[in-house]
Amino acid sequence: MNQNAQTPFEEGSVTPASGFETIEFAENPEPRCACLLVLDTSGSMQGPPIAALNLGLRSFKDELLSDPLAAKRVDVAVLTFGDSPELVADFTDAANFSPPDLRAGGLTPMGAAIWEALRRLTARKETYRTNGIAYYRPWVFLITDGEPTDDYQAAAKSVREGEERGAFSFYGVGVGEANMTKLAEIAPPNRPPVKLDGLRFRDLFVWLSKSMRTVSHSVIGQTIALDPPGWTSTQA
Amino acid sequence: MSWRFVSAIAVGTSHVRSDTPCQDRCAGSVLACPDGAQVFVCVVSDGAGSAAFAERGATLVCDRLPVLVGDALAASSDLDAVSDDDVRTWFLRLRDELRAHAGDSDADLRDFSATALLAIASDHQTLCASVGDGAVVVREAAGGPFEVALWPEGGEYANQTYFLTDDTVAERVAIRRFDGVADVIAFSDGLQQLALERSSRTAFEPFFGPLVRTVRESPASPDELARSLAAYLDSEAVNRRTDDDKALVVGCRTAAAA
């Protein structure tokens, strides 16, 4: 929707479901780097894993806020899959991101979650363009401790095609008993999935925030050099 | 009629942090053509962050492009006599010169990657051309609205653009022509966030208004103005909005001699 910040109640600008959502771009016109976290919250994540993941999300926000530009430029959303894919935190700049308190339960509908993630990402890019917001290549960061319980082949194909086109960068991370073989079928061949060392979610999110800071500060023609992740298990 | 102009560059805070030099360059000059016309020429170039000799590439663009323009206008200041193909030829020639420099330094052409923005303004004609990021803004009459002559050109993402050193440079040259303008401003992508309103596709008046007013009305010498502009570009207020290098040239057509 094409809403002018100076005339918020322009005729037809207020629809039942929306109306004010684009005000965020008037407040913060910085270019955005979307980071969509796609998190497995299936029953097997219950207990220490989900607790560590929740703490990790809080560290993620804290780390992003320590960099004033990253706080404005990194656009975070969280999509979980347990019972069914659910966008528990819609895209917002890091400064306004409220880390959700995730609960574990249900199966692992990873294929459906990936579809939903890619759909949300495409819509977010469209919102940027409609509002004249410049943006960086978005990141999709998927974390799972299991294997898909639904059809994931077509979703995997979309991930690979999107990565190939440069539509986004996809990162796959396995936790605990995650089926790394299936995750490798989904992740792009040039960026195979990695295994988290134990429950080092905090280290993972500190690395992710650092990487997003690097991307959100990157300038024209710069080769983006990310730190090697220090949180992966060597037996991945 | 003559031109009063000021230009400045400032290193970005991200370059300070990573200990890399400022890779933006700019140049302004007034050509006195044999037919008596005073023609303002300004160039801005942003050296690619990934290029080993980015600032040398940008410097070469700012040194050489005004010379190529001067050669083309040596006989006549009529900008209509300069075809779009002529403009593309300048950019191709610059690329050849960058390649020669790279060869002398045992480097690759890509090591000299840089963008190029050019504006040429005589009393009645204005020619703007660019490859890559940054923008040119003009105002046809003093007191009138500012218009974005050339928008930043690049790919889908904010950290992508086209360079003079690309194979496809001839296709990437954007060219726009205007009648005589009162003010012309060229700036690198580090200032885009402050200067352009992308949603409405307009130039941000509160940015440009004071700039040209100062250049037009300040009793300060051009050197003092340049120092003051450089201080502004390096100010806390600007650095809060951008961590990139910044380059800015402002030219104003005046009745008095500059």
Side-chain angles (χ1 to χ4, degrees):
Chain A
M1 120 184 284
N2 204 349
Q3 188 178 333
N4 182 337
Q6 271 86 47
T7 52
F9 294 110
E10 208 172 3
E11 200 176 338
S13 71
V14 181
T15 59
S18 64
F20 298 114
E21 77 272 27
T22 57
I23 289 175
E24 67 178 293
F25 299 117
E27 265 173 33
N28 174 7
E30 287 292 323
R32 297 300 206 280
C33 183
C35 178
L36 177 50
L37 303 172
V38 185
L39 307 177
D40 185 342
T41 53
S42 59
S44 54
M45 285 288 287
Q46 225 147 38
I50 200 84
L53 178 58
N54 281 327
L55 282 175
L57 285 172
R58 287 194 184 92
S59 311
F60 186 45
K61 168 161 179 151
D62 292 344
E63 293 290 324
L64 288 174
L65 290 199
S66 68
D67 178 335
L69 265 184
K72 287 183 181 171
R73 291 183 175 179
V74 180
D75 202 25
V76 188
V78 181
L79 190 138
T80 58
F81 55 104
D83 289 323
S84 60
E86 189 190 347
L87 192 73
V88 293
D90 202 349
F91 283 106
T92 179
D93 54 44
N96 286 302
F97 171 59
S98 307
D101 196 24
L102 304 176
R103 306 277 161 88
L107 300 170
T108 312
M110 202 186 300
I114 290 170
W115 279 123
E116 182 62 9
L118 301 191
R119 190 181 73 79
R120 295 281 184 173
L121 205 58
T122 307
R124 189 60 176 171
K125 278 193 184 179
E126 187 54 40
T127 304
Y128 294 150
R129 284 193 287 266
T130 309
N131 290 280
I133 295 292
Y135 57 95
Y136 300 89
R137 180 180 302 184
W139 279 34
V140 180
F141 208 88
L142 183 140
I143 305 177
T144 178
D145 75 331
E147 60 178 24
T149 51
D150 63 351
D151 178 17
Y152 66 97
Q153 307 283 0
K157 194 159 167 266
S158 288
V159 168
R160 284 157 173 249
E161 281 170 3
E163 175 86 29
E164 181 96 21
R165 268 204 323 276
F168 51 79
S169 299
F170 183 95
Y171 293 77
V173 179
V175 182
E177 300 301 309
N179 185 329
M180 297 305 287
T181 312
K182 286 192 177 167
L183 194 51
E185 289 172 36
I186 295 167
N190 59 320
R191 199 177 307 104
V194 291
K195 183 93 187 280
L196 183 69
D197 183 19
L199 292 178
R200 294 178 60 190
F201 281 108
R202 190 176 177 276
D203 296 336
L204 178 158
F205 280 108
V206 169
W207 173 87
L208 183 60
S209 74
K210 225 175 148 193
S211 303
M212 297 312 293
R213 285 164 60 170
T214 306
V215 173
S216 68
H217 280 267
S218 68
V219 293
I220 304 284
Q222 186 179 35
T223 311
I224 298 174
L226 302 179
D227 284 355
W231 40 267
T232 54
S233 152
T234 43
Q235 66 222 5
Chain B
M1 299 293 260
S2 188
W3 289 84
R4 187 168 154 89
F5 64 91
V6 58
S7 66
I9 59 172
V11 65
T13 53
S14 65
H15 285 232
V16 174
R17 265 198 305 275
S18 60
D19 205 23
T20 42
C22 180
Q23 293 161 335
D24 280 7
R25 291 291 184 275
C26 63
S29 57
V30 176
L31 281 174
C33 292
D35 55 13
Q38 300 274 312
V39 179
F40 176 62
V41 180
C42 72
V43 180
V44 169
S45 180
D46 180 353
S50 58
F53 302 113
E55 62 274 21
R56 280 177 59 192
T59 302
L60 194 103
V61 170
C62 293
D63 287 349
R64 290 291 300 152
L65 203 43
V67 175
L68 296 176
V69 173
D71 290 348
L73 301 183
S76 156
S77 64
D78 182 11
L79 291 175
D80 284 343
V82 177
S83 71
D84 287 3
D85 272 341
D86 291 337
V87 176
R88 282 188 278 269
T89 306
W90 296 340
F91 286 98
L92 287 170
R93 191 129 161 231
L94 267 179
R95 190 180 60 178
D96 289 343
E97 294 188 9
L98 287 169
R99 186 181 282 120
H101 265 73
D104 291 344
S105 305
D106 277 330
D108 198 77
L109 174 60
R110 271 183 321 184
D111 294 329
F112 284 73
S113 291
T115 64
L117 286 173
L118 168 70
I120 313 168
S122 66
D123 280 354
H124 304 292
Q125 298 161 317
T126 307
L127 194 164
C128 307
S130 72
V131 172
D133 240 300
V136 178
V137 166
V138 297
R139 184 156 75 155
E140 297 203 37
F146 291 94
E147 182 180 350
V148 184
L150 291 170
W151 279 90
E153 297 273 341
E156 179 182 10
Y157 300 126
N159 48 354
Q160 287 184 319
T161 195
Y162 306 133
F163 296 111
L164 204 52
T165 43
D166 293 346
D167 293 338
T168 51
V169 61
E171 301 155 38
R172 299 300 188 200
V173 181
I175 299 172
R176 269 192 81 189
R177 295 167 190 268
F178 296 82
D179 292 339
V181 294
D183 305 303
V184 50
I185 304 101
F187 53 93
S188 66
D189 72 314
L191 290 169
Q192 278 166 205
Q193 279 298 116
L194 288 85
L196 301 178
E197 287 204 280
R198 298 173 63 111
S199 53
S200 55
R201 288 190 71 79
T202 52
F204 192 53
E205 213 280 337
F207 179 84
F208 293 101
L211 265 185
V212 299
R213 208 159 39 243
T214 307
V215 174
R216 286 186 168 280
E217 296 169 9
S218 167
S221 73
D223 281 351
E224 285 172 298
L225 277 181
R227 272 196 298 276
S228 158
L229 182 63
Y232 163 73
L233 292 181
D234 197 29
S235 66
E236 176 70 32
V238 170
N239 287 337
R240 257 202 307 273
R241 299 291 309 279
T242 178
D243 59 351
D244 198 2
D245 292 341
K246 297 138 284 194
L248 177 65
V249 189
V250 185
C252 304
R253 193 151 55 92
T254 58

